[in-house]
Amino acid sequence: MTHAQAAVAETAPPRHGSSASRVLSFAVPAAVLGVAAATRLIGLEHPAELVFDETYYVKDAESLRQLGYEGRWPDDANANWAAGTPGSPSELASFVAHPPLGKWVIALGLAALGPENPAGWRLGTALAGVALVGLVMVLAHLLLGRLALTGIAGLLIAIDGNAIVMSRVALLDGVLALLIVLAVILLVLDRRQVRRELDEWLAHRHAHERPSDWGPAFWGRPWLVGAGVTFGLAIGVKWSALYLLAAFAVLTVVVDAIDRRRAGVALWASGTLLRQAPISAILLLPSALAAHLLTWTGWFITSGGYGRTREVTDDNRLAGPFGLLPDALQNWWEYQTAIYGYHVGVTSEHNYEAPALGWPLLLRPTYMHYHDRGDGTAEAITGIPNPFIWYAAVAAVIALVIWAVVELVARVRAARAGIDRANGMPASGWAIALVLTGVAAGWLPWLLYPERTMFFFYTIVLTPFLVLALTIVLGAILGPADADRSRQAIGRIIVIGMLALAIVVSLFFLPLWTGSPIPIEQLRLRYWLPTWT
């Protein structure tokens, strides 16, 4: 078996021989999706008022639906929405800080149920939240290939509080997380194709006694183009997706080089950097740009959007050859420049701002809604993740980083001694690299802007990769399928116990994720840290 065939085999979904296995392969994901749907869709109409940043995004979504661009709403608009009479925005353009695609998703729910129905405000993001659980299971199965781990990964995100809250409020970040996970799935499929075709190319060269020199130049990579399109759509929800696009593009080049080196390509490094990397960039980046521009269709085809009809003159025209672009594109670029200036300059204080440095410690989750009912009970919606899952996942990431460093050192020493060393990691190196890249790209860039106002709910983009890291560690605790029975029994007891504890913690915090009335004294019992209030 070649290196690429082995790499594919170690991450390929298992073949279910028995009818019971086939039933389980459908029943486990279906059950997890049922949990996700229940926690995200039941009682979606409550509260019947715009909460937190819904005041921006729901109104922008309805404006997009009516005008094709974001118009301005009257000062008493929130009260009108709560009364079930939202009305219409003026045609006067509003400056908005985020691209339109996430708001178009919200607009789909408004179109389906009507803007007077609070469930309609949140239906789009709720369905995106359910779909996110499904895609996390797909990614887990592609990377780990074990039905048990597929179900564990899906369950962990299905019962996580931050994921639930970001599905039950009409904000953009849940849609962003969905598209990021979809893009990563497409990269995994691209990697499978490239490894298979690399083996075929090398076999052909060897059969004809031709040297492998720089290796092949693969142009036919539809999954990579699809990933570019999906990343472009994600950037059309929030600009922060640019960081993830850049990180995963670099990972793709690095893994291309590693695969060629393992396959025995003579000039694997220069062959990757000078031959395949430019091709990959051509396949990935223009498709991302085209998809991103597509998300601005409403702005382009109408004339009322912010800055849309700015007069382009010799004084404000773009420099060099960019000055030949149509006025619409030049005005669009001017708008993007203004948005960038806004984002880097957001430093206003907020009660629930949470610097990224404190995210791993879960210091300041975001309160979305609080209402004292006056009878000793209160309604609260706060994006506290399941604390057990969160801290265990952060610990799992740290463990994987340490594990990877130790393994790398051991492999270098073994190579110097001329010894072949089997993979000592709890999953393939590709799977771990993918997960750690998602965590790093979703968190580290925010550390570059310590003065910027930011919130904990941004971590929903990290959550899929955090639960995958925890799933990998739980898989190591379960042990391999061929482990002895006593080893398997101990592993199952530990993992089942941890999952049971996670479920109990989720049930305990569920009222804070759904806004269900709860005695105020009971509410205070859920503030485990003083900074959570």
Side-chain angles (χ1 to χ4, degrees):
M1 180 181 289
T2 66
H3 91 284
Q5 289 170 332
V8 171
E10 72 178 349
T11 60
R15 297 180 179 178
H16 304 290
S18 68
S19 58
S21 296
R22 287 193 294 270
V23 170
L24 282 176
S25 67
F26 289 101
V28 169
V32 171
L33 286 174
V35 172
T39 53
R40 286 152 177 79
L41 295 173
I42 295 175
L44 193 59
E45 70 284 354
H46 178 77
E49 60 183 270
L50 297 172
V51 302
F52 200 65
D53 282 354
E54 285 186 338
T55 187
Y56 304 114
Y57 303 133
V58 173
K59 289 185 289 188
D60 282 347
E62 180 62 12
S63 182
L64 287 173
R65 200 168 72 93
Q66 295 187 26
L67 304 175
Y69 61 90
E70 294 92 343
R72 297 187 187 179
W73 290 83
D75 293 338
D76 60 350
N78 281 19
N80 293 336
W81 279 82
T85 56
S88 299
S90 73
E91 295 184 1
L92 195 62
S94 175
F95 175 84
V96 294
H98 296 295
L101 184 58
K103 289 166 280 189
W104 279 113
V105 171
I106 296 171
L108 293 176
L110 297 173
L113 301 182
E116 68 283 350
N117 185 343
W121 310 345
R122 301 158 185 144
L123 181 62
T125 52
L127 293 177
V130 176
L132 175 62
V133 174
L135 289 185
V136 167
M137 286 193 286
V138 171
L139 182 55
H141 209 58
L142 288 171
L143 293 177
L144 306 177
R146 294 172 64 180
L147 180 59
L149 299 184
T150 299
I152 288 172
L155 180 64
L156 289 173
I157 194 167
I159 65 173
D160 177 71
N162 196 30
I164 291 172
V165 169
M166 295 309 294
S167 303
R168 296 181 63 90
V169 296
L171 272 62
L172 307 179
D173 300 74
V175 179
L176 175 62
L178 173 71
L179 289 170
I180 293 298
V181 173
L182 177 57
V184 172
I185 288 172
L186 295 173
L187 289 179
V188 172
L189 295 175
D190 171 71
R191 181 56 38 200
R192 287 188 171 191
Q193 176 193 341
V194 168
R195 284 173 168 169
R196 182 177 64 252
E197 292 185 358
L198 179 60
D199 269 350
E200 294 172 354
W201 185 89
L202 287 169
H204 177 77
R205 301 281 287 194
H206 293 160
H208 293 81
E209 298 183 350
R210 299 171 64 186
S212 59
D213 49 62
W214 276 15
F218 292 132
W219 283 94
R221 296 175 68 170
W223 298 117
L224 186 62
V225 175
V229 169
T230 310
F231 273 121
L233 295 177
I235 298 166
V237 176
K238 271 194 165 184
W239 274 19
S240 53
L242 276 166
Y243 297 126
L244 289 113
L245 167 60
F248 281 107
V250 171
L251 178 65
T252 297
V253 173
V254 170
V255 179
D256 274 337
I258 292 172
D259 284 347
R260 288 168 185 245
R261 181 177 182 275
R262 288 176 176 172
V265 173
L267 303 176
W268 57 271
S270 56
T272 300
L273 292 176
L274 302 179
R275 192 172 192 181
Q276 185 60 55
I279 294 173
S280 298
I282 292 172
L283 296 174
L284 185 69
L285 301 181
S287 60
L289 176 60
H292 180 68
L293 286 173
L294 185 64
T295 68
W296 288 87
T297 298
W299 187 88
F300 280 113
I301 66 176
T302 61
S303 60
Y306 185 89
R308 176 66 180 84
T309 57
R310 183 192 66 136
E311 183 180 358
V312 179
T313 66
D314 290 341
D315 293 331
N316 59 19
R317 189 178 300 277
L318 294 176
F322 296 106
L324 301 176
L325 292 172
D327 287 1
L329 283 175
Q330 299 207 41
N331 288 340
W332 175 82
W333 181 255
E334 180 68 19
Y335 191 6
Q336 307 312 298
T337 302
I339 293 174
Y340 174 77
Y342 168 83
H343 281 301
V344 297
V346 177
T347 57
S348 57
E349 293 185 1
H350 193 286
N351 280 342
Y352 295 105
E353 62 180 301
L357 191 61
W359 290 356
L361 299 177
L362 184 47
L363 296 180
R364 191 62 171 163
T366 311
Y367 243 104
M368 304 284 180
H369 170 71
Y370 181 85
H371 172 63
D372 188 332
R373 293 161 58 92
D375 59 356
T377 66
E379 303 168 1
I381 298 177
T382 180
I384 299 174
N386 180 307
F388 177 71
I389 294 175
W390 179 265
Y391 289 124
V394 170
V397 169
I398 295 171
L400 289 180
V401 170
I402 295 173
W403 211 327
V405 171
V406 171
E407 177 68 13
L408 179 61
V409 171
R411 288 193 178 192
V412 169
R413 289 178 176 175
R416 289 176 178 174
I419 301 172
D420 289 331
R421 177 180 170 83
N423 179 27
M425 298 291 289
S428 69
W430 163 236
I432 292 173
L434 200 79
V435 169
L436 294 181
T437 297
V439 173
W443 176 50
L444 295 179
W446 293 103
L447 299 177
L448 301 175
Y449 306 96
E451 301 301 323
R452 189 191 187 280
T453 304
M454 57 191 73
F455 299 94
F456 183 82
F457 66 81
Y458 297 173
T459 60
I460 185 58
V461 176
L462 297 173
T463 301
F465 302 102
L466 288 171
V467 300
L468 285 170
L470 180 54
T471 300
I472 290 172
V473 172
L474 292 178
I477 294 173
L478 283 174
D482 58 354
D484 62 81
R485 291 186 177 182
S486 61
R487 167 71 175 80
Q488 288 183 346
I490 295 172
R492 286 172 183 169
I493 290 171
I494 294 173
V495 171
I496 290 172
M498 293 179 69
L499 293 177
L501 181 56
I503 292 171
V504 170
V505 172
S506 285
L507 291 173
F508 180 70
F509 277 92
L510 191 60
L512 268 68
W513 301 336
T514 60
S516 302
I518 185 174
I520 293 177
E521 291 303 319
Q522 287 291 320
L523 188 63
R524 291 170 180 161
L525 289 177
R526 288 155 176 82
Y527 299 148
W528 290 2
L529 295 178
T531 54
W532 288 9
T533 59

